[in-house]
Amino acid sequence: AQSVTQLDSQVPVFEEAPVELRCNYSSSVSVYLFWYVQYPNQGLQLLLKYLSGSTLVKGINGFEAEFNKSQTSFHLRKPSVHISDTAEYFCAVSSTSGTYKYIFGTGTRLKVLA
Amino acid sequence: DVKVTQSSRYLVKRTGEKVFLECVQDMDHENMFWYRQDPGLGLRLIYFSYDVKMKEKGDIPEGYSVSREKKERFSLILESASTNQTSMYLCASSDYWSGNQPQHFGDGTRLSIL
């Protein structure tokens, strides 16, 4: 079985400051990892994904994430946030084999302050 | 660009009614999913379908059923709506299953059961 933990339910940060949103996962098999963003009153859209290869993954809107297998983490970072980054962010995993299911974390609400 | 369209953004129904939520995708994707999103609980999988007329239960199927008669359309049915089914419902699709395919989401249907 797999699980995803997003420890921070809310993260306030000032505009132009750096931010890190944490994601830890648990799995007995290899996984693929994803970060999604949800703006108010919209569905989720893909920010970035880790499938294999380089552990540092770059996504859209200046976000990046680093896969750390030993710590089973996939934290999302941005060096300088904008007001428009205010949204909810979801980490998700899927198995490299087996079921069709994706497991989502409970989400982190990022609030960028002026 | 993949387009996943949910028929209603907002829906208000009464307890005991049979409710249909419709979802259409335009990219010939094999897999389609219905999630329920509640604050603090993230996304929970209700049902998914990996082919026409094929379906599998997710984590919270009780009180729901689904129908997939055509590849592009996946319907969620609340057999007898109850107030605890008030929630945001998200439909998603993904290409052939290999686990590394990201999901594409609709904008959601906010359903209120009175």
Side-chain angles (χ1 to χ4, degrees), chain A residues 36 38 41 94 99 101-102, chain B residues 9 37 59 97 99 101 103:
Chain A
Y36 289 85
Q38 184 180 33
N41 298 316
S94 66
T99 70
K101 289 169 61 175
Y102 299 77
Chain B
R9 292 297 304 274
Q37 182 180 12
D59 299 315
W97 177 255
Q101 296 300 305
Q103 297 197 309

Side-chain angles (χ1 to χ4, degrees), chain A residues 34-111:
Chain A
F34 305 84
W35 273 101
Y36 289 85
V37 60
Q38 184 180 33
Y39 298 106
N41 298 316
Q42 294 185 24
L44 280 68
Q45 63 185 79
L46 182 69
L47 265 181
L48 49 78
K49 60 185 177 183
Y50 172 79
L51 305 181
S52 65
S54 172
T55 56
L56 184 63
V57 180
K58 294 193 183 296
I60 62 171
N61 301 340
F63 283 93
E64 63 181 31
E66 186 156 20
F67 170 56
N68 187 319
K69 189 174 182 180
S70 62
Q71 296 188 8
T72 60
S73 67
F74 190 53
H75 300 332
L76 181 70
R77 302 185 183 103
K78 187 169 182 178
S80 175
V81 294
H82 303 291
I83 296 287
S84 59
D85 293 321
T86 294
E88 190 154 22
Y89 293 79
F90 292 92
C91 181
V93 301
S94 66
S95 171
T96 58
S97 63
T99 70
Y100 292 77
K101 289 169 61 175
Y102 299 77
I103 306 298
F104 285 84
T106 53
T108 297
R109 193 171 294 277
L110 174 64
K111 186 168 177 61

Side-chain angles (χ1 to χ4, degrees), chain B residues 13-74:
Chain B
K13 296 291 181 181
R14 296 205 174 276
T15 304
E17 279 192 72
K18 190 168 186 176
V19 181
F20 294 84
L21 302 183
E22 306 287 345
C23 175
V24 176
Q25 50 95 1
D26 66 356
M27 281 301 290
D28 203 36
H29 281 173
E30 302 288 336
N31 309 306
M32 296 189 75
F33 306 79
W34 274 107
Y35 292 93
R36 174 176 170 159
Q37 182 180 12
D38 298 289
L41 298 178
L43 276 69
R44 293 180 291 168
L45 182 64
I46 304 171
Y47 268 97
F48 65 95
S49 168
Y50 51 91
D51 202 350
V52 175
K53 297 189 186 294
M54 306 303 288
K55 59 187 179 185
E56 292 261 354
K57 292 180 180 179
D59 299 315
I60 52 164
E62 296 78 21
Y64 303 95
S65 63
V66 290
S67 172
R68 194 167 180 200
E69 297 296 320
K70 293 185 178 181
K71 193 173 185 180
E72 68 271 18
R73 186 179 297 271
F74 192 35

